[in-house]
Amino acid sequence: MVRVVGIDHLVIRVSDYAKSKAFYGRLFGFLGFEVSDEYADAIGWTNGKTRFWIGPADAAGKKRKYRIGEVGFHHYAFQLRSRKDVDALEAFLRELGATIVDPAGEYYDDYYAVFFLDPDGLKLEGMKYGERQTQAARKRRPVRAGR
């Protein structure tokens, strides 16, 4: 049986390549990604596990703005190490001047996230799930003698 072992990369098309390259370059630098490859019409970043690529939209694609709710990409979530990292990302996004659509907060039980837009209005998210549950489980572990 064939099994997927991960998501290797995502590629998005952007309306203003230079503007998006600058935005994602700063964002990915903050998130610990490095440029993996760059070509005249595409650039990709990686953190060693995931790759994220951008390239310019074609002429027909540039005529239409992206709108959340249409068929296709809704949002992309970056899983972060902690709630503190989500808060740090939000502070960075504010410095960057990015549009924050939903500020850092708890959106579901033990699901802490910040939602923001790229220059084309594509929705992105920084999130941490399960941190409180993990901390509670650590507190419930019995202490072993001799430690």
Side-chain angles (χ1 to χ4, degrees):
M1 173 186 285
V2 174
R3 295 188 188 269
V4 173
V5 296
I7 300 212
D8 184 77
H9 65 276
L10 171 72
V11 181
I12 63 169
R13 296 290 178 199
V14 298
S15 64
D16 183 330
Y17 183 65
K19 185 176 182 179
S20 291
K21 182 179 171 183
F23 172 85
Y24 281 107
R26 289 195 58 200
L27 174 65
F28 286 131
F30 180 80
L31 294 175
F33 282 61
E34 297 177 350
V35 172
S36 60
D37 291 292
E38 184 172 3
Y39 305 99
D41 62 349
I43 184 169
W45 293 268
T46 187
N47 67 353
K49 295 182 180 188
T50 298
R51 292 181 190 90
F52 192 105
W53 285 83
I54 67 168
D58 62 17
K62 290 179 183 181
K63 290 180 184 177
R64 220 180 70 181
K65 280 194 74 76
Y66 174 78
R67 186 184 72 76
I68 292 175
E70 291 183 2
V71 172
F73 180 85
H74 179 270
H75 76 277
Y76 188 83
F78 298 99
Q79 182 180 8
L80 304 179
R81 292 177 301 187
S82 67
R83 289 172 175 237
K84 286 182 182 179
D85 282 357
V86 173
D87 291 335
L89 175 58
E90 180 179 20
F92 171 78
L93 293 167
R94 290 191 188 285
E95 289 176 19
L96 190 60
T99 300
I100 296 173
V101 291
D102 293 303
E106 190 148 345
Y107 289 91
Y108 305 100
D109 184 34
D110 208 7
Y111 190 99
Y112 193 76
V114 61
F115 298 86
F116 58 101
L117 303 179
D118 86 342
D120 283 305
L122 297 174
K123 190 174 182 181
L124 303 168
E125 171 187 0
M127 52 74 65
K128 174 60 181 169
Y129 174 73
E131 186 170 332
R132 285 192 336 231
Q133 293 172 10
T134 300
Q135 290 169 348
R138 284 186 189 134
K139 289 178 183 176
R140 289 191 301 264
R141 286 188 198 145
V143 178
R144 295 180 184 198
R147 288 188 113 188

